[in-house]
Amino acid sequence: MSERSVSNLTTSRRCVTAAMYCVPFRRMDAAVTSYERAIELRPDYAEALNNLGNALAELNQLDASLARYDRALKIKPDYVDALNNRGNASRDMKRPDAALKSYGRALELDSEFKFLYGTWLEAKMQVCDWSGIECG
């Protein structure tokens, strides 16, 4: 790894850390700026893209948040958190079929993911799809 790559990696991590400190104080605009800077330095930073999606969702920029989750998933297709967050944004946009697809894929990857089964089940109820539900 080149010296510049190491520097970008370190700086991008610092940007993510700065963004994470903004979130509890509801300073989402500052968090978005820091996440964007991290991604500018390291375009393949799936975690930063996912977190940027979360910050944008908090700002009710759901289309933009979906685009960031999709980019994170192109980099890391088995990223369960991004799939779950994509499902949440789809649900909030009144797109239950898309939410169900995201939650279902996340469950395939990690059946122990906390709360995921409940959100998947809720999405299935919204589209009246009872397949795959075990009773008993």
Side-chain angles (χ1 to χ4, degrees):
M1 188 177 278
S2 73
E3 191 173 313
R4 182 180 177 132
S5 294
V6 171
S7 176
N8 282 356
L9 177 65
T10 302
T11 303
S12 64
R13 286 182 179 158
R14 286 183 184 146
C15 290
V16 167
T17 300
M20 291 170 67
Y21 279 109
C22 294
V23 172
F25 297 102
R26 313 297 302 153
R27 299 202 49 228
M28 294 303 166
D29 289 333
V32 165
T33 299
S34 291
Y35 286 130
E36 286 175 339
R37 177 68 177 135
I39 295 159
E40 180 182 309
L41 292 167
R42 225 179 110 205
D44 65 339
Y45 200 166
E47 290 79 6
L49 283 159
N50 180 61
N51 290 344
L52 174 56
N54 292 341
L56 291 166
E58 286 292 323
L59 293 169
N60 205 32
Q61 296 178 25
L62 297 174
D63 286 322
S65 72
L66 278 176
R68 293 337 182 273
Y69 300 137
D70 286 342
R71 279 182 58 197
L73 289 164
K74 282 184 181 176
I75 296 164
K76 192 174 172 183
D78 61 347
Y79 192 6
V80 174
D81 287 335
L83 284 162
N84 180 59
N85 291 331
R86 189 182 197 299
N88 292 340
S90 296
R91 179 199 60 214
D92 293 346
M93 296 173 78
K94 309 291 188 242
R95 297 178 184 167
D97 289 318
L100 181 58
K101 182 178 177 184
S102 293
Y103 294 143
R105 177 68 180 131
L107 265 177
E108 287 173 12
L109 294 167
D110 185 359
S111 62
E112 301 299 317
F113 189 90
K114 199 174 188 177
F115 303 110
L116 187 54
Y117 184 77
T119 54
W120 172 79
L121 190 58
E122 180 184 354
K124 287 188 80 66
M125 290 187 317
Q126 288 179 356
V127 297
C128 297
D129 177 359
W130 311 111
S131 62
I133 299 172
E134 300 294 324
C135 298

